[in-house]
Amino acid sequence: MPLADGSGWVVGVDEQAQAGNMSTESPAERDVSAGQPAPVGSTSDPDPLGTHTPDLGATTTLKSGALFMVTQTTGDVPAQSARTGHHGLGIYFHDTRYLDEKRMHVNGRPMTLLFESADLGDRCTRELTNPELPVDGGRGIVHKETIGLHVDTSLDGQVREVLTFRNFSRRPLQITVTLGYGSDFDDIFTVRGMAPGARGRVEEPHVEGGSVRLSYSGADHHRRTTEITFDPPPTHLSGNCATFHLDLPPGAAPRTVDTVYRLTDQPMGDGQDGLEVSPNAGENVSVEDSEHLGLPRSEVRMRTSNELFNRVMRRSFVDLAMLETRHGDDRFYAAGVPWYVALFGRDSIITALETLAFAPEVGRATLDLLARYQGRERNPARDEEPGKILHELRVGERARLGEVPFTPYYGSVDATPLFLVLLGEYLQWTGDLECFTALRPHVDAALDWLERQADPDAGGLFEYACRASDGLVNQGWKDSYNAIVDADGSLARSPIALAEMQGYAFRAFRAMANVCRVAGDEDRATRLEGRAEQLRETFEESFWRPDLGNYALAVHGPPGARRVAEVDASNQGQALWGGIVAASHGAAVRDSVMDPRRLNAGWGVRTLSQEAAAYNPFDYQTGAVWPHDSAMVAVGLRSYGFDDDALEILTGLYEAATRFDLYRLPELFAGFDRASYGRPVRYPVACNPQAWASGSLPYLLTAVLGIVPDAFAGTLHVIRPRLPGWLDWVEIKKLKVGASQADLRFERSGDLSLAVVTSKARDLQVMIEY
């Protein structure tokens, strides 16, 4: 996802301006003290607003609820300066960086990292030792690897770091431990590279006893504080440094320094906004360390024959638990750390879809939350329209001041049909018609938006055009400014109708037709089915390109100057997921997706074909590989009967995950062919973890196993179960369909995969179809 879904958020740039040149100077190159915002955005740079987004390589990410921190692997957050550069590391809460410097030195030098583990997501353990250290004013030395330092960092409503020093020499040592800290309380958009806006006042640090308080009185009338306390009290304490003189006796007797960082975000005056003042304690939900895998709030558990795959799946579930976030009483999956710890309509929906088999209650919570923010009026400044599902909601200073439109912002063409798809899939798992009844007004509004607003020229295709002066130029999931291109590499012109958007709408119409029929509204069900077929015919006429041997990526341009983007991209693969592709053309889409010369990178599916004029393996959405995109394409292939191809993509994503740190699939990685290197090439500012990437493998596994629920009929279908060659068996326990549940075991014997029901409720039918 780009900045404010990222790199696609172009401030004040219209189509004409996109052809010109705009400043791309970094924050370090601007005189921000003058308060003059520098121009932002560039047509030649793939990341106009986030041009200087810091590299996230060699970092550690921890998160608990809305509180998160990103540090160097040593645990440090270096000071920023024009010489050393700016970074995105620090401690964050409510779209604000509460600490942008956190350093530790022993006798004036950093320690050497030996080991680091952040497997559980909300805590980290490190082992460090000393380099050669000067003592006695430089007249002596402490030999390297004499001192051991064990560091425990944990997040639970606050950040706590316990330093335990041990002396492994035979003589006593005296060391000086220095802890540096500081904060400018920057908004997340400023950290990402946006020109500074209105600012409040960073107050002088307040030192009292063994604690120091850093404070900022914001221009949005919120007072933000970071209070740092130490135990034992420092030998010396100032506004930016705590110093400890420690005696370390020989024989490894421990000496500890316990530091706690507490954050507050307090509205000034009597106004309240429904958000918590401080991060909530007790947000941590640990994934159990056992052979059975699953989400912590769910009873559904699984295990497999492949221990390495189990580690990858455990990482997926840990990260999903880590990304669970609360603002006030609302719980949702934040899109990704560090840039998108916020509510995103499209991301939250797709992640909920990916995890319905394991946690359908997340789907219900997501539907209820997004329904509450559904668009109510026509507001071009936020791309809001009645019935539209939001794109992004922010709660930081710049959002409160209106400097960014995300309060919320509605610049997403596909969140609305995906909302309907999620509702339909949730009901297939649960049979929860009370949910449908409660959301019926929101369903009607979403369908009305599709018909009245998403097809403004009544041409039969669903399209988008940005109306907000500071909104997203592209409003599909590929929302970077250069994501949608023509065959010659030029940028598509609005309005733009995307291939996958037509598929999403088709699937939404079919899903709501099914629900309406179950609810007894046969007439509306028939009308929705007819509307879906009408869309399929229009899609076929408008998008199928015989010369390309595939559907088009997009139809774009103003009336009278419409063009067809005849480019192979993953968008057409996602149209398979939507079900809109004609059966006679499914093989053509498959050939594009699986061809290594075009979209198949071996680790997953490229966003744009290698043969396209605009292809760039490093680029965000014109050549990189996104795990969620690859998974959706694979599920689409599976639905059209291309089971072996779905297994190949599953294998590629799994093997890619084994080559990333912590077995974690990142938001995206470069689109180089697998044959070029022995591991996928990282994208430097990808979110780690990222929600729909974390849900990709659980989703794809349930798809290749053929698990299809029908709670309305009290039936669980298992259709053409398949296991890859590296997986001998899979067990899933307490899989819920409606109020009933079943235990299943899948086994592979050669090329044959079998499914066995090991236990089930008496009122649940399980139909296995080979």
Side-chain angles (χ1 to χ4, degrees):
M1 171 187 319
L3 174 56
D5 246 12
S7 43
W9 189 48
V10 181
V11 181
V13 179
D14 58 23
E15 289 183 357
Q16 186 176 24
Q18 289 181 46
N21 292 315
M22 301 183 74
S23 171
T24 59
E25 61 185 348
S26 72
E29 296 167 329
R30 305 184 192 115
D31 180 8
V32 298
S33 63
Q36 298 298 319
V40 179
S42 167
T43 60
S44 60
D45 194 293
D47 190 7
L49 190 53
T51 298
H52 308 285
T53 300
D55 188 339
L56 293 177
T59 58
T60 300
T61 298
L62 302 177
K63 182 178 178 297
S64 173
L67 170 66
F68 68 94
M69 68 184 297
V70 186
T71 68
Q72 295 175 332
T73 53
T74 59
D76 279 0
V77 176
Q80 300 184 111
S81 69
R83 181 179 61 81
T84 60
H86 291 250
H87 58 69
L89 309 183
I91 300 176
Y92 290 81
F93 177 58
H94 284 176
D95 288 333
T96 301
R97 182 164 61 180
Y98 277 70
L99 206 72
D100 56 32
E101 178 184 354
K102 184 180 82 71
R103 296 182 292 157
M104 181 196 65
H105 284 172
V106 175
N107 289 12
R109 295 185 181 178
M111 297 285 275
T112 301
L113 180 67
L114 302 175
F115 171 83
E116 180 250 14
S117 174
D119 288 349
L120 296 179
D122 58 14
R123 66 203 74 170
C124 180
T125 298
R126 295 180 175 90
E127 293 289 346
L128 302 96
T129 190
N130 64 293
E132 191 172 275
L133 297 177
V135 294
D136 297 331
R139 293 188 297 273
I141 62 169
V142 175
H143 292 291
K144 65 179 182 178
E145 299 163 9
T146 298
I147 301 169
L149 172 57
H150 178 89
V151 182
D152 283 318
T153 306
S154 60
L155 275 62
D156 188 12
Q158 60 191 17
V159 178
R160 183 180 183 187
E161 195 153 72
V162 181
L163 312 179
T164 303
F165 294 88
R166 289 179 170 88
N167 174 10
F168 291 99
S169 74
R170 296 182 179 181
R171 61 186 180 87
L173 295 175
Q174 290 184 331
I175 62 172
T176 299
V177 178
T178 306
L179 303 180
Y181 40 80
S183 180
D184 286 333
F185 292 90
D186 285 325
D187 187 275
I188 187 71
F189 290 100
T190 304
V191 176
R192 281 295 312 265
M194 183 177 174
R199 286 285 285 167
R201 179 169 56 90
V202 178
E203 300 174 6
E204 289 295 319
H206 178 74
V207 177
E208 182 176 355
S211 68
V212 59
R213 185 170 63 249
L214 312 177
S215 302
Y216 173 65
S217 296
D220 62 342
H221 303 292
H222 271 237
R223 181 177 171 81
R224 298 169 174 88
T225 63
T226 303
E227 184 175 7
I228 312 171
T229 59
F230 306 93
D231 184 17
T235 308
H236 176 74
L237 182 63
S238 70
N240 59 14
C241 181
T243 302
F244 302 82
H245 297 311
L246 300 182
D247 293 320
L248 301 183
R255 293 290 184 268
T256 63
V257 175
D258 190 345
T259 307
V260 175
Y261 304 85
R262 297 183 178 89
L263 318 181
T264 60
D265 178 4
Q266 180 71 58
M268 294 186 284
D270 298 329
Q272 299 295 322
D273 53 16
L275 296 179
E276 59 274 6
V277 172
S278 298
N280 290 296
E283 290 285 303
N284 304 20
V285 183
S286 298
V287 175
E288 61 190 29
D289 186 15
S290 74
E291 62 179 350
H292 291 91
L293 309 171
L295 290 166
R297 298 186 189 276
S298 170
E299 294 182 349
V300 182
R301 289 292 180 267
M302 64 167 288
R303 64 187 185 123
T304 83
S305 61
N306 186 323
E307 181 54 36
L308 186 57
F309 184 62
N310 290 341
R311 292 187 182 187
V312 171
M313 291 294 286
R314 181 175 287 109
R315 181 78 259 158
S316 295
F317 291 128
V318 167
D319 286 347
L320 288 165
M322 178 179 173
L323 286 163
E324 187 174 320
T325 302
R326 189 171 83 182
H327 283 169
D329 295 329
D330 298 324
R331 289 187 178 274
F332 58 93
Y333 285 135
V337 183
W339 313 124
Y340 307 112
V341 180
L343 175 64
F344 282 80
R346 181 191 302 115
D347 296 61
S348 63
I349 291 168
I350 289 177
T351 308
L353 277 165
E354 291 174 329
T355 56
L356 279 174
F358 299 93
E361 64 277 4
V362 176
R364 176 63 193 266
T366 301
L367 290 164
D368 289 343
L369 175 57
L370 293 176
R372 193 161 72 253
Y373 282 105
Q374 190 173 28
R376 294 181 175 84
E377 62 182 14
R378 186 179 299 277
N379 184 349
R382 296 192 302 181
D383 276 328
E384 181 183 3
E385 292 163 337
K388 200 173 184 183
I389 298 299
L390 68 80
H391 170 67
E392 178 179 0
L393 175 66
R394 292 289 186 167
V395 297
E397 180 179 32
R398 304 200 72 158
R400 296 179 190 281
L401 293 174
E403 295 179 349
V404 295
F406 312 113
T407 57
Y409 175 62
Y410 291 83
S412 166
V413 72
D414 51 15
T416 306
L418 287 171
F419 172 85
L420 298 173
V421 171
L422 174 60
L423 175 59
E425 294 292 316
Y426 166 77
L427 295 175
Q428 286 295 110
W429 278 101
T430 65
D432 183 7
L433 281 176
E434 290 184 2
C435 173
F436 178 63
T437 300
L439 293 178
R440 187 64 182 265
H442 301 281
V443 170
D444 293 343
L447 288 168
D448 188 67
W449 178 81
L450 276 172
E451 298 290 28
R452 295 177 182 270
Q453 306 297 331
D455 181 17
D457 62 0
L461 295 176
F462 299 110
E463 57 193 27
Y464 62 84
C466 180
R467 293 173 175 82
S469 62
D470 51 2
L472 286 165
V473 174
N474 281 316
Q475 299 188 354
W477 87 261
K478 294 180 181 177
D479 53 4
S480 57
Y481 88 104
N482 65 334
I484 309 302
V485 294
D486 221 324
D488 62 0
S490 62
L491 301 185
R493 300 183 63 199
S494 64
I496 299 172
L498 297 170
E500 80 276 14
M501 172 58 187
Q502 317 313 309
Y504 295 170
F506 177 84
R507 186 163 176 164
F509 287 139
R510 294 286 297 270
M512 290 302 97
N514 180 57
V515 176
C516 286
R517 181 165 286 115
V518 171
D521 192 343
E522 182 66 33
D523 289 344
R524 191 168 200 194
T526 301
R527 290 197 302 272
L528 287 168
E529 287 174 337
R531 183 65 184 91
E533 291 308 309
Q534 180 185 14
L535 176 57
R536 190 203 294 269
E537 292 175 5
T538 304
F539 175 73
E540 198 69 24
E541 294 170 1
S542 304
F543 278 79
W544 176 251
R545 314 308 291 174
D547 292 342
L548 181 65
N550 197 0
Y551 293 92
L553 161 61
V555 176
H556 65 99
R562 298 288 268 175
R563 297 184 61 178
V564 179
E566 297 190 15
V567 185
D568 285 318
S570 62
N571 303 63
Q572 294 94 311
Q574 284 209 26
L576 287 173
W577 182 87
I580 198 171
V581 170
S584 59
H585 291 149
V589 179
R590 177 263 172 209
D591 290 345
S592 169
V593 168
M594 301 308 297
D595 187 345
R597 296 168 299 177
R598 290 187 273 177
L599 295 172
N600 184 5
W603 304 113
V605 180
R606 298 183 184 94
T607 44
L608 191 67
S609 169
Q610 285 192 113
E611 297 180 343
Y615 169 73
N616 180 349
F618 299 110
D619 193 84
Y620 200 65
Q621 291 167 337
T622 58
V625 173
W626 290 63
H628 90 280
D629 182 34
S630 299
M632 292 178 73
V633 171
V635 172
L637 287 166
R638 163 83 185 178
S639 69
Y640 277 74
F642 302 113
D643 298 349
D644 289 339
D645 301 303
L647 287 173
E648 181 177 334
I649 294 174
L650 168 62
T651 298
L653 288 176
Y654 155 58
E655 293 181 347
T658 65
R659 289 158 171 83
F660 283 109
D661 291 344
L662 300 177
Y663 305 108
R664 170 185 285 159
L665 279 173
E667 178 185 16
L668 72 155
F669 48 89
F672 289 107
D673 192 274
R674 179 171 181 163
S676 300
Y677 305 104
R679 63 178 60 220
V681 177
R682 74 180 185 91
Y683 185 80
V685 296
C687 287
N688 270 307
Q690 203 254 10
W692 58 17
S694 301
S696 295
L697 285 172
Y699 181 49
L700 189 43
L701 179 65
T702 57
V704 300
L705 294 178
I707 296 172
V708 180
D710 186 354
F712 297 128
T715 303
L716 174 63
H717 297 275
V718 179
I719 302 172
R720 303 191 319 275
R722 294 290 302 276
L723 288 171
W726 42 268
L727 205 53
D728 293 331
W729 55 263
V730 174
E731 287 183 350
I732 300 181
K733 294 183 177 295
K734 297 186 178 181
L735 186 68
K736 293 191 68 175
V737 179
S740 303
Q741 63 185 35
D743 296 346
L744 304 175
R745 182 178 173 91
F746 300 84
E747 295 185 0
R748 183 179 55 82
S749 177
D751 293 333
L752 182 65
S753 297
L754 301 174
V756 178
V757 181
T758 58
S759 176
K760 74 176 186 68
R762 295 181 62 184
D763 59 349
L764 178 66
Q765 285 189 309
V766 180
M767 307 292 291
I768 302 175
E769 308 166 30
Y770 294 104

